[in-house]
């Protein structure tokens, strides 16, 4: 494990997939929708629906980060697309799924392993903020319901800033909110294309949280970790 190139004044944490277990919580929410909306009318099993939903959702989030689609399009289209794939053209069903998905998801509170312990300990030594492309109407509920809220000074959301990660304008806004220079901040995130590339382009050192141990597409990150607990000796040794 490499050493950090900076002693940060402020730590930026991505939320979904880094602290909050998006995959587990999203699948649980989608399974609830599958039952309550009787999607078995259209798919044999949940897995048949999820195989269509997951890649569509991922592609739409990538497009959203690039400014190619709007929020309103994303949140409905990720359900409309898998419905169209099985011949269902009723957009009102997709709209209802979108609405209820937010309700279900906001109530889930599964965190990534060691996430709460890590932020509890780090918050005693560093001011910290959350940086996220997620939408305000759900992110604040997720942060509150999962017990993360007390440990962060700011929650910096792309919709409120006006530009998404990985655009440099997002990170420039985050630095201004935190009152720091780029050389004084460390970002920790799991999504290479949005968190790590974005931090690099803004001159911010980054820790790539890679629990799946996938191969890095390039070498833009400062440090790679596979477990959040690895942050503690790395950062507390500097205090």
């Amino acid at each position: 494990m490499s050493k950090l190139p900076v002693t940060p004044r402020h730590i930026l944490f991505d939320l979904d997939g880094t602290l909050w277990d998006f995959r587990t919580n999203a699948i649980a929410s989608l399974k609830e929708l599958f039952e309550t909306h009787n999607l078995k009318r259209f798919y044999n099993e949940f897995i048949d629906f999820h195989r269509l939903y997951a890649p569509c959702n991922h592609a739409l989030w990538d497009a959203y980060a690039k400014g190619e689609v709007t929020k309103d399009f994303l949140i409905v289209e990720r359900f409309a697309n898998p419905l169209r794939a099985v011949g269902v053209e009723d957009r009102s069903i997709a709209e209802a799924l979108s609405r209820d998905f937010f309700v279900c998801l906001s109530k889930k509170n599964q965190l990534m392993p060691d996430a709460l312990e890590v932020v509890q300990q780090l918050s005693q030594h560093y001011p910290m903020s959350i940086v996220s492309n997620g939408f305000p109407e759900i992110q604040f509920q997720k942060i509150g319901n999962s017990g993360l809220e007390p440990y962060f000074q700011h929650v910096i959301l792309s919709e409120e800033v006006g530009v998404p990660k990985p655009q440099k304008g997002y990170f420039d806004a985050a630095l201004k909110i935190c009152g720091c220079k780029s050389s004084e901040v460390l970002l920790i995130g799991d999504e290479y294309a949005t968190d790590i590339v974005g931090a690099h382009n803004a001159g911010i050192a980054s820790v790539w949280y890679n629990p799946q141990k996938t191969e890095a597409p390039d070498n833009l990150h400062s440090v790679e970790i596979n477990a959040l607990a690895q942050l503690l000796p790395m950062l507390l040794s500097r205090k």
Side-chain angles (χ1 to χ4, degrees):
M1 184 167 58
S2 304
K3 292 184 179 180
L4 289 172
V6 296
T7 298
R9 280 186 52 217
H10 201 106
I11 298 175
L12 303 177
F13 268 100
D14 171 58
L15 181 63
D16 293 331
T18 301
L19 296 175
W20 194 81
D21 189 344
F22 184 84
R23 177 176 170 76
T24 296
N25 292 323
I27 288 178
S29 299
L30 290 168
K31 284 182 176 178
E32 287 185 29
L33 295 185
F34 191 84
E35 295 299 325
T36 58
H37 286 259
N38 191 25
L39 294 185
K40 207 163 185 177
R41 292 174 289 166
F42 313 127
Y43 311 92
N44 290 329
E45 301 292 343
F46 171 77
I47 193 170
D48 299 316
F49 162 71
H50 194 256
R51 282 173 179 159
L52 294 169
Y53 172 87
C56 176
N57 183 55
H58 186 78
L60 285 167
W61 273 105
D62 282 349
Y64 178 76
K66 296 173 184 175
E68 296 172 353
V69 301
T70 65
K71 166 190 172 180
D72 289 342
F73 181 81
L74 183 159
I75 63 176
V76 177
E77 181 62 18
R78 61 182 170 183
F79 292 103
N81 183 282
L83 286 168
R84 284 198 303 271
V86 293
V88 180
E89 298 286 348
D90 188 346
R91 196 165 182 84
S92 67
I93 299 175
E95 291 170 348
L97 287 166
S98 176
R99 181 185 63 247
D100 291 352
F101 181 60
F102 275 171
V103 174
C104 290
L105 197 62
S106 67
K107 297 176 182 177
K108 305 302 179 190
N109 58 13
Q110 179 68 44
L111 296 176
M112 300 299 289
D114 301 316
L116 194 58
E117 178 185 353
V118 167
V119 299
Q120 285 172 336
Q121 292 197 43
L122 290 181
S123 69
Q124 297 175 39
H125 303 277
Y126 296 93
M128 303 192 302
S129 296
I130 284 175
V131 288
S132 173
N133 277 349
F135 305 131
E137 61 265 40
I138 186 170
Q139 296 303 76
F140 287 109
Q141 293 185 63
K142 287 156 58 172
I143 293 164
N145 290 341
S146 60
L148 293 171
E149 185 175 8
Y151 307 105
F152 293 93
Q153 289 191 349
H154 308 287
V155 177
I156 305 167
L157 303 180
S158 60
E159 187 173 335
E160 297 182 335
V161 168
V163 288
K165 295 187 288 181
Q167 295 184 34
K168 185 175 181 296
Y170 174 86
F171 290 97
D172 289 343
L175 291 171
K176 184 176 181 179
I177 290 168
C178 297
C180 294
K181 300 175 183 177
S182 59
S183 59
E184 299 173 326
V185 168
L186 177 70
L187 178 136
I188 300 155
D190 69 304
E191 284 286 344
Y192 211 95
T194 51
D195 298 321
I196 306 307
V197 172
H200 174 78
N201 291 341
I204 296 172
S206 63
V207 174
W208 182 33
Y209 174 45
N210 181 23
Q212 303 302 319
K213 301 182 179 180
T214 57
E215 185 176 351
D218 47 45
N219 195 33
L220 301 180
H221 54 294
S222 304
V223 176
E224 178 181 337
I225 61 172
N226 309 123
L228 290 174
Q230 292 175 267
L231 291 169
L232 295 178
M234 186 188 307
L235 286 162
L236 296 185
S237 66
R238 291 174 174 258
K239 289 294 181 179

